[in-house]
Amino acid sequence: MTDEPKTSRRAFLAGTAAAGAGLVATAATAQTPDPLITEVQEWASVFGDPVDATPYGMPIEFESHVVRRNVEWLTESTASSINFTPIHALEGTITPQGCAFERHHSGAITLSKQDYRLMINGLVDKPLVFTFEDLLRFPRQISIAFCECAANGGMEWGGAQLEGCQFTQGMIHNMEYTGVMLRDLLAEAGVKPEGKWVYVEGADASSNGRSIPLEKALDDVMVAFFANGEALRKEHGYPVRLVVPGWEGNMWVKWLRRISVYDQAVESREETSKYTDLMPDGRARKWTWVLDAKSVITQPSPQAPIRHGAGPLVITGLAWSGNGKITRVDISTDGGNSWTPARITGEARSKALTRFHYDMTWDGSEMFIMSRAVDETGYVQPTKQALREIRGVNNVYHNNGIQVWWVRADGEVENVEIA
Amino acid sequence: TPAVAEPLGLGRPALPEEIAAWDTTVLPDGTGLPEGSGDVLTGEEVFAENCASCHGEFAEGLDSWPVLAGGNGSLTDPRPVKTIGSYWPHLSTVYDYVHRSMPFGQAQTLSVDDTYAITAFLLYSNGLVEDDFTLTRENFASIALPNATGFYADDRDQTEYPVFSVEPCMADCRSAPPEVTKRAVELNVTPKDEDGKPAGTLPPLTLAAETGAT
């Protein structure tokens, strides 16, 4: 798959612009007319594809580098594994579903709306079973939220390891969800006063059961059917998943089949063995649900080198916080010696990806570029070193440390740590 | 707590058989455990048949499959070995997770007694019971795992948020120029495109760069 774009690009350029050799790159200072302009191109004369060619489209072939990628050595089985969103190539804030990352513990299952059942049981007045048709009759809500894996950047706790923000920050996606509020479903069953926790599990073999305190369950947790305008993708939980704004992705249970109310946390495998964060004294934090303020410069980055030379340069990136809205993103080009606020482009929504831009003039010398997010609580994204001073290097999860890119004079970009 | 909506009368009552089929969850205090039992020697046989091809005959883990026993006292080591014996807090999680989600690729094929027996065997593999031990619903809660007190609830609001919620330095923040201490390229473990660049690197848009690519 990786060599398809090159082949097709070459064919494209060879077929249409052969006469323009050397001119495309230097169009601004061309001494001779550009044949892409002076000669009638095929697409300006004959038909393109008809409207019945593509009932459901995929991106144009030249964008075939914008795909999910996995890193084989990270896990022992691809059925319980992770892949990465190509955030180095995306703009704005909405993640295209087709390249939004996946994390399964026993693979992406196929579950039809006909076969779908949702049970509510435990400390409720009336244990219930819903069909998918039932769920479509509850009042709907819309919410935009980021889903970040608790392990996003986890491989970087010990040092700079992977080359590209797709790999170091790409266990994330951000979608517009439509569904029903969990509190409305719980109201249908009637939570008993002794009910303090909600346990949610999926229909897949792994089940991915997690405990959520009732306060959060009654606040902004959604049972979602639609993402970015259409049904959830199979790999994202079709036909029903949980959306838990601001909280670690593991709790966004997919193929949701049961919601049970208990007086205590279940302390399931996914909140004891996993998603607990080992600290330097050998004890571990549990229930580290919220994802703290974080950011990354998506371009330039190791997969997005600067090839246009010195002059105007767009620095673009993403910031997000599970504790509310992003209020500011600072940029440094000198390894953190000086910082300048970037522009927030578009809206800074609570618990959602937020785009920032910083327009600068690059003089062609090397830079250490960094971004630093600030959220509405006043929390400032820490350096990796500041986090390690508190947590050590075996936390595994919740690495929101500042990312440093080393921009070389040739425009290549490296993932580094600096002292 | 927000106001709870009025019920709409949607859904239908869940039947006891349905709840029993889907709610197999076991809580730390033993709530949810079914009637049954299993001993270490039976567990060893069931484990050999269903589990040892990945987790090893002694639950020590084969290749890179998860290690289920060992690692005791390693939690402050540079590379901790986190197993049921060294790390997990509750035996309930072992029963619950094995019963519902193992064997990997063939989950929910173990009987209640099989699961008690495997759980007994895992206790034995971790040096926590003798080889004649029988685990039952009745004695289940008397078993405490070594790391039962090894966890505490998220305390970032005490230990981190106050530290990081201060107005940050904006100018003259460094005392010395930055010095590179770690480079990912030196590890060279990232998937690569044909030209050796990190997989998914944006294609060059200049003809010169295009020609230069393989």
Side-chain angles (χ1 to χ4, degrees):
Chain A
M1 173 170 279
T2 51
D3 53 354
E4 276 173 18
K6 275 181 229 127
T7 311
S8 53
R9 273 191 55 78
R10 267 202 304 278
F12 171 78
L13 289 169
T16 60
L23 294 180
V24 176
T26 57
T29 55
Q31 300 296 307
T32 54
D34 183 349
L36 280 166
I37 299 169
T38 57
E39 293 173 12
V40 174
Q41 301 299 311
E42 193 182 322
W43 58 79
S45 180
V46 305
F47 292 140
D49 297 337
V51 295
D52 58 355
T54 315
Y56 198 107
M58 292 286 284
I60 194 166
E61 63 208 86
F62 313 124
E63 295 298 314
S64 57
H65 55 287
V66 189
V67 292
R68 297 188 277 235
R69 297 192 184 266
N70 72 313
V71 176
E72 209 178 315
W73 55 265
L74 281 176
T75 53
E76 62 273 9
S77 161
T78 47
S80 179
S81 194
I82 189 82
N83 63 27
F84 300 90
T85 304
I87 57 169
H88 67 294
L90 301 177
E91 255 293 348
T93 59
I94 295 295
T95 312
Q97 292 196 82
C99 64
F101 88 102
E102 303 166 71
R103 203 293 186 234
H104 318 300
H105 292 79
S106 51
I109 61 167
T110 303
L111 178 58
S112 72
K113 290 174 178 173
Q114 288 84 351
D115 290 343
Y116 181 78
R117 296 290 183 276
L118 176 64
M119 182 183 289
I120 299 184
N121 76 311
L123 295 170
V124 294
D125 299 327
K126 192 168 55 167
L128 291 173
V129 171
F130 298 106
T131 62
F132 188 80
E133 201 166 36
D134 294 331
L135 297 181
L136 288 174
R137 298 170 68 189
F138 281 88
R140 292 180 204 172
Q141 299 287 338
I142 291 181
S143 162
I144 297 178
F146 71 80
C147 174
E148 182 185 17
C149 180
N152 199 19
M155 310 79 74
E156 304 285 306
W157 268 117
Q161 180 153 234
L162 288 164
E163 300 166 59
C165 64
Q166 176 168 21
F167 304 107
T168 54
Q169 278 87 8
M171 297 179 192
I172 194 164
H173 57 61
N174 191 69
M175 302 190 192
E176 184 204 70
Y177 296 98
T178 302
V180 307
M181 300 310 287
L182 178 54
R183 62 174 175 263
D184 290 343
L185 296 182
L186 289 170
E188 213 60 35
V191 176
K192 289 182 193 273
E194 59 269 37
K196 298 285 181 253
W197 291 82
V198 167
Y199 183 70
V200 284
E201 67 179 6
D204 62 315
S206 83
S207 108
N208 199 48
R210 288 287 313 246
S211 306
I212 299 176
L214 192 63
E215 296 73 33
K216 178 70 174 178
L218 297 179
D219 180 14
D220 58 359
V221 177
M222 178 188 278
V223 174
F225 326 129
F226 298 89
N228 293 351
E230 61 183 353
L232 296 165
R233 295 291 170 96
K234 163 185 171 171
E235 63 271 29
H236 296 139
Y238 181 94
V240 176
R241 84 170 307 163
L242 212 60
V243 168
V244 191
W247 286 23
E248 59 188 13
N250 177 256
M251 308 178 80
W252 293 47
V253 172
K254 298 185 286 190
W255 315 290
L256 179 70
R257 86 167 190 188
R258 191 171 68 95
I259 300 161
S260 193
V261 180
Y262 294 111
D263 61 351
Q264 58 190 298
V266 167
E267 306 229 22
S268 68
R269 187 253 196 180
E270 304 293 327
E271 52 194 343
T272 54
S273 171
K274 307 297 176 188
Y275 308 99
T276 53
D277 317 345
L278 190 61
M279 299 290 280
D281 67 356
R283 296 188 304 148
R285 288 175 176 160
K286 63 178 178 180
W287 301 340
T288 47
W289 300 310
V290 176
L291 293 152
D292 291 329
K294 185 167 175 178
S295 67
V296 63
I297 292 170
T298 53
Q299 294 182 6
S301 65
Q303 296 159 289
I306 305 172
R307 296 192 178 105
H308 54 54
L313 170 69
V314 172
I315 290 182
T316 181
L318 291 165
W320 61 98
S321 170
N323 283 306
K325 291 180 184 176
I326 292 295
T327 52
R328 199 177 89 212
V329 181
D330 298 328
I331 301 293
S332 176
T333 60
D334 57 10
N337 189 50
S338 62
W339 297 83
T340 310
R343 283 183 291 129
I344 304 278
T345 313
E347 265 187 73
R349 291 187 174 84
S350 184
K351 306 173 189 176
L353 288 191
T354 301
R355 177 61 60 175
F356 65 83
H357 288 105
Y358 180 78
D359 305 295
M360 62 172 288
T361 302
W362 185 42
D363 65 8
S365 58
E366 68 173 33
M367 299 188 286
F368 293 97
I369 56 175
M370 304 154 75
S371 63
R372 182 175 70 188
V374 183
D375 72 23
E376 62 181 326
T377 70
Y379 177 97
V380 182
Q381 182 185 1
T383 62
K384 289 178 186 171
Q385 195 47 41
L387 287 170
R388 289 188 194 118
E389 278 166 19
I390 296 169
R391 303 192 201 167
V393 295
N394 286 317
N395 220 232
V396 180
Y397 306 105
H398 291 277
N399 182 356
N400 65 321
I402 290 174
Q403 175 70 54
V404 186
W405 301 133
W406 185 11
V407 179
R408 315 294 298 272
D410 62 3
E412 294 296 326
V413 182
E414 284 191 31
N415 173 15
V416 296
E417 292 201 8
I418 55 173
Chain B
T1 305
V4 174
E6 284 299 308
L8 296 172
L10 293 169
R12 51 101 178 153
L15 301 175
E17 297 87 343
E18 295 172 331
I19 295 174
W22 273 12
D23 185 352
T24 58
T25 304
V26 181
L27 280 68
D29 66 1
T31 301
L33 277 174
E35 204 54 62
S37 68
D39 59 42
V40 171
L41 292 180
T42 307
E44 186 176 23
E45 285 171 28
V46 182
F47 195 88
E49 211 168 295
N50 296 281
C51 321
S53 63
C54 294
H55 296 294
E57 223 174 304
F58 308 102
E60 79 283 14
L62 295 182
D63 302 326
S64 57
W65 294 101
V67 181
L68 306 182
N72 284 39
S74 71
L75 297 183
T76 56
D77 289 356
R79 289 180 179 275
V81 179
K82 298 190 283 184
T83 71
I84 292 168
S86 71
Y87 190 66
W88 290 33
H90 308 298
L91 194 61
S92 55
T93 314
V94 179
Y95 181 97
D96 176 78
Y97 181 69
V98 169
H99 188 222
R100 197 190 50 249
S101 298
M102 286 287 146
F104 191 54
Q106 228 176 338
Q108 302 196 72
T109 56
L110 296 170
S111 70
V112 163
D113 286 340
D114 282 349
T115 311
Y116 275 110
I118 287 175
T119 306
F121 174 69
L122 289 171
L123 285 170
Y124 172 73
S125 308
N126 277 284
L128 298 171
V129 297
E130 299 299 320
D131 62 5
D132 60 354
F133 178 73
T134 300
L135 183 66
T136 68
R137 181 187 189 181
E138 287 65 39
N139 69 7
F140 198 96
S142 68
I143 306 287
L145 294 185
N147 200 40
T149 59
F151 298 81
Y152 56 97
D154 187 2
D155 67 345
R156 283 175 290 174
D157 60 344
Q158 321 266 311
T159 55
E160 297 187 9
Y161 296 169
V163 180
F164 300 139
S165 301
V166 294
E167 200 46 46
C169 178
M170 296 298 285
D172 299 322
C173 306
R174 299 190 61 96
S175 51
E179 185 190 325
V180 173
T181 56
K182 294 270 171 58
R183 297 174 67 188
V185 291
E186 287 177 353
L187 295 178
N188 195 26
V189 293
T190 306
K192 295 290 197 291
D193 285 338
E194 267 179 13
D195 59 3
K197 303 290 187 200
T201 292
L202 304 187
L205 298 181
T206 60
L207 197 58
E210 185 71 26
T211 309
T214 47

